[in-house]
Amino acid sequence: MKTTFTFYGHSTLGLAVGDFQLVVDPYFTGNSATSMTPDQVHPDYILITHGHSDHLGDAVAIAKRRGATCIATSELCRWLSGKGVKTHAMHIGGGFHFPFGYLKLTPALHASMLPDGSNGGSPSGFLLTTSGGKKIYMAGDTGLFGDMRLIGEEGLDLAAIPIGDNFTMGPDDALRAVKLLTPKVVIPIHFNTYASIQQDGQAWKTRVEQETQTKVMLLRPGESYVIEA
Ligand code: NI
Ligand code: MN
């Protein structure tokens, strides 16, 4: 089974797992890193790490248009349900067998207030074991934490982690995160979108590949990476 990871820009990700289409943190409107519009993605499931506008993004509009199910923490799902979208509420440490694979919510050191000031509960990341057996960790917005080692123990094929600094881990802590996660491949995200998160992706790739066994894939917005079966 083929699993394709797409980087849309900033923290907006796509996953095609067999016939299932997933979008993670569907921020298109107002996202300076992409020229795509929300009507150009066709997800069956929408995964949302936290309530900040650069992650929640166009989730409500896309979910309504597609009849897609939003997957997030119970607090975020309560808010989304109030907007009339289908949800599957979960919480940190919990996993569930979806048709595309086993999805578990992971901790994230961040916040999750919604754009209208509602309490979004805790932020999260996602650890997906696809139905084809690939392990993909999407950290969400987070600072470095030592329990990334436990996530790494699962044996990651791919990790997408923030390197932008200011709001999340910066390049130095993201390098330490790679050493804890030990993924086969890492894709840096959440950088260069704003002036406060400008980073040199190529320099980070060089450092990571000198100091670890992990390969760094630098994806430009719209580019995809295929995890081979
Ligand atoms: Ni955030
Ligand atoms: Mn963010």
Side-chain angles (χ1 to χ4, degrees):
M1 171 187 300
K2 192 163 122 177
T3 301
T4 306
F5 175 101
T6 301
F7 178 60
Y8 291 115
H10 190 56
S11 243
T12 306
L13 313 174
L15 278 173
V17 182
D19 292 333
F20 292 99
Q21 300 289 332
L22 283 62
V23 174
V24 185
D25 289 349
Y27 170 51
F28 295 98
T29 305
N31 183 348
S32 61
T34 181
S35 56
M36 280 183 64
T37 57
D39 55 337
Q40 291 179 288
V41 289
H42 310 286
D44 306 297
Y45 295 90
I46 301 171
L47 281 52
I48 306 161
T49 59
H50 64 293
H52 292 165
S53 56
D54 60 318
H55 298 261
L56 178 71
D58 302 293
V60 171
I62 298 169
K64 282 187 175 174
R65 175 174 59 81
R66 288 286 300 163
T69 299
C70 290
I71 304 173
T73 60
S74 46
E75 290 81 4
L76 214 46
C77 282
R78 177 190 288 209
W79 186 89
L80 288 160
S81 293
K83 302 290 177 191
V85 310
K86 267 193 287 185
T87 61
H88 182 113
M90 301 181 66
H91 231 297
I92 291 163
F96 184 81
H97 288 281
F98 291 94
F100 54 84
Y102 182 71
L103 183 71
K104 191 156 76 171
L105 264 59
T106 58
L109 293 179
H110 198 65
S112 186
M113 193 173 76
L114 286 145
D116 64 4
S118 299
N119 176 8
S122 300
S124 77
F126 293 105
L127 177 61
L128 172 63
T129 308
T130 70
S131 42
K134 298 296 175 189
K135 293 255 189 196
I136 303 168
Y137 172 54
M138 297 168 285
D141 278 6
T142 187
L144 178 68
F145 55 93
D147 286 351
M148 285 180 176
R149 182 181 58 80
L150 300 176
I151 296 168
E153 281 175 3
E154 299 221 15
L156 302 176
D157 294 289
L158 179 66
I161 65 172
I163 71 159
D165 221 343
N166 195 74
F167 299 110
T168 67
M169 295 189 283
D172 293 350
D173 280 354
L175 169 58
R176 297 166 74 191
V178 171
K179 291 176 180 175
L180 296 170
L181 294 166
T182 63
K184 289 188 184 133
V185 172
V186 67
I187 294 175
I189 63 172
H190 210 277
F191 69 107
N192 289 355
T193 323
Y194 320 124
S196 57
I197 59 173
Q198 291 295 321
Q199 301 299 340
D200 184 340
Q202 190 60 51
W204 190 73
K205 172 180 166 75
T206 302
R207 284 177 70 197
V208 171
E209 292 183 349
Q210 274 173 355
E211 293 190 34
T212 76
Q213 301 298 309
T214 296
K215 182 171 164 48
V216 179
M217 291 292 303
L218 287 177
L219 297 183
R220 285 186 298 262
E223 286 187 336
S224 294
Y225 170 73
V226 177
I227 307 170
E228 294 300 337

